[in-house]
Amino acid sequence: MSTLLAIRDLDLTLGSKPPVRLLRRVSLQVEPGQIVGLVGESGAGKTMVSRVVLGIAPANARVTHGSVAFAARDITHLSEAQRRPLLGREIAFIPQNPMTALNPVERIGPQITDVLRMHLDLGRTDAQDRALALLREVHLREPQRILRQHPHELSGGMRQRVLIAIAFACKPKLVIADEPTTALDVTVQKQILQLIRELQRNSGTAILFITHDLGVVAKLCDHVVVMHGGRVLESAAAARLFENPTHAYTRALFAATPRFDRPADELKPIPAALTQQLNEEARVLDARDA
Amino acid sequence: MKVIAVLRNPRVAFGVLVLVVLIVAAAGATRLSPHDPLEQDLLNSFQHPGASDGDQSHPLGTDSLGRDILSRLIFGARPALIVAFVAALFAGLIGTALGLAAGYFGGRLDAAISRLVDIWMSFPSVLLCIVLAAVLGAGLHTVIIAIVVIDWTRFCRVVRAETMLQKSLDYVASAVTIGLGPGRILASEILPNVAPLLLTLFTLEMGIAIVVEAILSFVGLSVSSGVPTWGGIIQEGRLYVNQAWWLMAAPMACIIVAVLGLNALGDGLREAIDPVKAR
Ligand SMILES: Nc1ncnc2c1ncn2[C@@H]1O[C@H](COP(=O)(O)OP(=O)(O)OP(=O)(O)O)[C@@H](O)[C@H]1O
Ligand SMILES: [Mg+2]
């Protein structure tokens, strides 16, 4: 099978004065059915990568180099209208904050059936039935009642389940999850991760999983891409990366991650010298590519 | 049960009461009025409020032609309410449509609409009214068109700002990522979130329209003098203010209470059904 999502040498530049480079020759691939972890500290550009794929990059940012191909089709410069049939249907999105990602004044029912009726050409009752089935698939109890409720009547974990149901509703080929558990408390986080893995196994959907949490990556992902300062520093199979990280930054990231089998005082922050060196490298790259 | 919770807000309750009284007066004017508002009785002119001479009783007195003031006020609720509702409705429709488009699409469309609003608002509105009246002739339709033409900008500016705010929220990004088009997102995602604000603007605009209608009646640009209007009654009473103060005081009180009620309703609704609180 051919690669599902192929990002090649992607540059994203903010058209401000002076222009700011948000992504620097980013390349990554997601194979069908694979879970790829995208890790890196805050500001690395992880969200920007997902926003380019979804076509919701900031209005003043432009792709100035490289390409995004989905299912062997170049989608880098699709217009909004051209991209719409893909979104929700082939490529779906699980947002970071379930508290704000649902329309506050609309009931849950129509928020789920919207995507079904939009893409699957279902009638009202068929869509309703499908929505019920979806809520069961994400293990929400009393799905009938939830369909009639407003978002503020549900807990954060329940809302995230609803959003996951929406993402998987049309059996997309790729789901992009941007830190889907960061806004939730720890016990709920685990359940949500389990749910995502379960749905992924049942549907064979590929997932681009964005996170800070290396522990999650170790459990969930087949492949890992490490980003810093808008560029990819290392990209490897998960097993290989955890056994034998080659980039100094990846090793520093491991050392900075809390683990159960290691006392907290062994945690080391990412060395300032390393960050400085990476920023210097980025400057050299910018000069070369300008 | 949600309605009852909203009605518990004292301002909303007061506003709804005023609005109900207005609607009942306008709808049932023929039955509620003790007299024909046009019936003249020159022997009983300038009756004091409360005075009852013989078989005729005039709770709010009579005017220079002996017409019953209370009946005229009740009938005056009709043009006031019609103008308030129709003018606010059309000003709201035009302003909201343009405000939604400007706020959502941004860019050149927004620039064009915003410039138009700026230029529009710098026009002297009184002059605009007079020009309109000259072109269209006096009448209720002139009053309504004048208010719509002048006040759609009020809706447009507020709705544009609110749409820009809503557009930046996550739920709109979610709607985009499930493949909904801009028409759907505006109609079924953003508009329902702007609706409470619109309701508030609408009631405030009704109050403004009542005042404008009174002013235009006062200067004779509204309905012909045969039909009683609050502004018209004030205008007629002006000549006799030294003999019969109630001729001006009574319609003024009507206007003040109506506007106070509608403003209270608008402000109260803003507090009571703010969707942010429900989040
Ligand atoms: N709307 C925006 N307009 C312009 N620049 C932005 C915008 N959002 C983010 N940025 C910038 O883009 C860079 C990458 O941000 P991005 O959100 O992709 O980081 P991230 O890796 O997702 O971080 P986090 O883990 O905090 O979510 C940052 O330097 C940020 O300042
Ligand atoms: Mg992010």
Side-chain angles (χ1 to χ4, degrees):
Chain A
M1 270 198 283
S2 68
T3 300
L4 184 63
L5 178 72
I7 299 176
R8 271 186 238 295
D9 290 334
L10 192 69
D11 272 16
L12 186 70
T13 309
L14 208 56
S16 51
K17 291 204 168 138
V20 178
R21 215 168 161 199
L22 297 179
L23 297 179
R24 300 181 161 92
R25 303 289 147 107
V26 168
S27 294
L28 68 86
Q29 300 191 354
V30 181
E31 305 298 330
Q34 201 181 36
I35 306 187
V36 174
L38 187 54
V39 296
E41 58 192 288
S42 202
K46 309 182 292 294
T47 296
M48 283 301 151
V49 171
S50 70
R51 288 177 68 170
V52 171
V53 176
L54 294 163
I56 51 171
N60 53 346
R62 285 193 318 118
V63 172
T64 44
H65 191 269
S67 65
V68 180
F70 178 76
R73 174 182 172 206
D74 188 338
I75 61 165
T76 326
H77 297 290
L78 290 189
S79 72
E80 258 179 61
Q82 289 169 322
R83 198 181 299 265
R84 230 173 275 145
L86 285 178
L87 298 180
R89 178 72 189 88
E90 310 270 328
I91 306 174
F93 181 59
I94 304 174
Q96 173 168 0
N97 190 348
M99 305 313 275
T100 55
L102 291 163
N103 185 344
V105 302
E106 198 179 16
R107 290 172 201 280
I108 300 296
Q111 305 206 40
I112 302 177
T113 51
D114 265 356
V115 67
L116 293 166
R117 300 187 59 189
M118 180 86 193
H119 296 294
L120 300 185
D121 204 23
L122 293 180
R124 198 175 287 272
T125 43
D126 287 346
Q128 196 84 7
D129 292 345
R130 183 86 189 90
L132 271 181
L134 279 166
L135 288 185
R136 286 197 195 96
E137 276 172 45
V138 297
H139 308 301
L140 278 169
R141 267 177 285 162
E142 300 191 77
Q144 289 278 11
R145 207 173 87 138
I146 289 174
L147 285 182
R148 278 180 277 111
Q149 282 178 314
H150 282 94
H152 66 88
E153 297 172 83
L154 308 183
S155 70
M158 290 165 86
R159 290 189 217 186
Q160 192 59 293
R161 282 174 195 270
V162 169
L163 286 159
I164 290 170
I166 293 172
F168 281 88
C170 300
K171 304 201 187 321
K173 296 198 181 90
L174 174 68
V175 167
I176 299 177
D178 190 356
E179 308 195 37
T181 60
T182 317
L184 304 170
D185 68 58
V186 183
T187 45
V188 181
Q189 280 185 7
K190 276 192 182 154
Q191 296 165 2
I192 293 293
L193 286 175
Q194 250 166 19
L195 175 67
I196 291 176
R197 185 150 51 173
E198 177 190 325
L199 292 173
Q200 191 271 339
R201 282 202 183 128
N202 294 344
S203 62
T205 298
I207 297 182
L208 181 60
F209 196 96
I210 298 173
T211 181
H212 292 119
D213 189 338
L214 284 169
V216 171
V217 174
K219 280 191 218 124
L220 199 66
C221 299
D222 307 307
H223 196 93
V224 187
V225 177
V226 181
M227 279 186 78
H228 179 274
R231 62 195 174 111
V232 172
L233 298 183
E234 184 162 11
S235 168
R240 215 281 281 128
L241 190 93
F242 281 97
E243 233 164 70
N244 182 21
T246 51
H247 201 284
Y249 179 78
T250 311
R251 284 197 294 272
L253 210 55
F254 285 165
T257 302
R259 269 163 48 174
F260 291 117
D261 59 358
R262 199 164 61 183
D265 53 304
E266 274 181 32
L267 281 184
K268 294 191 197 78
I270 301 207
L274 178 58
T275 309
Q276 217 169 3
Q277 184 200 330
L278 289 171
N279 291 343
E280 187 50 44
E281 283 175 22
R283 259 193 297 280
V284 172
L285 283 177
D286 289 354
R288 185 200 68 189
D289 296 335
Chain B
M1 91 224 162
K2 220 174 165 185
V3 175
I4 290 173
V6 171
L7 277 177
R8 243 182 232 138
N9 181 309
R11 295 210 256 180
V12 173
F14 170 63
V16 167
L17 183 71
V18 169
L19 195 58
V20 166
V21 169
L22 275 179
I23 291 171
V24 168
T30 346
R31 286 181 175 202
L32 290 170
S33 309
H35 297 271
D36 179 340
L38 301 180
E39 183 193 85
Q40 300 185 5
D41 180 2
L42 292 172
L43 292 178
N44 277 318
S45 59
F46 297 126
Q47 293 273 327
H48 281 272
S52 69
D53 268 3
D55 55 339
Q56 300 276 35
S57 90
H58 301 285
L60 293 180
T62 60
D63 67 6
S64 59
L65 300 173
R67 295 175 297 194
D68 181 54
I69 294 296
L70 178 61
S71 305
R72 290 178 71 71
L73 290 180
I74 292 176
F75 273 86
R78 277 182 177 173
L81 205 58
I82 290 172
V83 166
F85 190 79
V86 177
L89 183 68
F90 282 97
L93 284 175
I94 296 171
T96 303
L98 291 175
L100 282 174
Y104 189 79
F105 295 107
R108 281 199 207 134
L109 184 65
D110 179 30
I113 292 174
S114 296
R115 281 306 79 70
L116 182 68
V117 168
D118 288 345
I119 294 169
W120 211 269
M121 290 182 70
S122 63
F123 258 62
S125 49
V126 177
L127 211 63
L128 213 59
C129 282
I130 294 170
V131 170
L132 272 171
V135 175
L136 300 168
L140 223 48
H141 63 288
T142 304
V143 177
I144 290 171
I145 291 172
I147 295 171
V148 171
V149 162
I150 292 164
D151 273 355
W152 65 270
T153 52
R154 219 183 269 276
F155 284 85
C156 187
R157 290 197 331 155
V158 177
V159 170
R160 170 182 172 268
E162 182 66 16
T163 304
M164 287 169 77
L165 175 97
Q166 296 289 334
K167 194 195 172 186
S168 72
L169 299 180
D170 282 358
Y171 78 89
V172 175
S174 297
V176 172
T177 59
I178 65 168
L180 294 186
R184 272 296 296 279
I185 290 176
L186 278 172
S188 69
E189 307 285 323
I190 291 182
L191 190 57
N193 281 283
V194 179
L197 185 68
L198 279 177
L199 203 57
T200 301
L201 281 178
F202 185 81
T203 46
L204 294 177
E205 184 63 32
M206 280 178 73
I208 292 169
I210 284 179
V211 173
V212 172
E213 196 274 334
I215 292 171
L216 293 182
S217 307
F218 185 82
V219 299
L221 291 180
S222 185
V223 282
S224 57
S225 56
V227 181
T229 61
W230 294 343
I233 299 170
I234 295 176
Q235 199 269 330
E236 289 157 15
R238 188 176 57 97
L239 303 170
Y240 312 104
V241 68
N242 293 323
Q243 298 154 259
W245 53 269
W246 60 91
L247 294 185
M248 280 183 87
M252 276 181 176
C254 287
I255 294 168
I256 290 170
V257 171
V259 173
L260 268 181
L262 287 165
N263 286 354
L265 183 60
D267 289 342
L269 283 175
R270 181 158 42 197
E271 289 169 15
I273 56 176
D274 188 349
V276 175
K277 279 191 204 152
R279 247 167 239 168

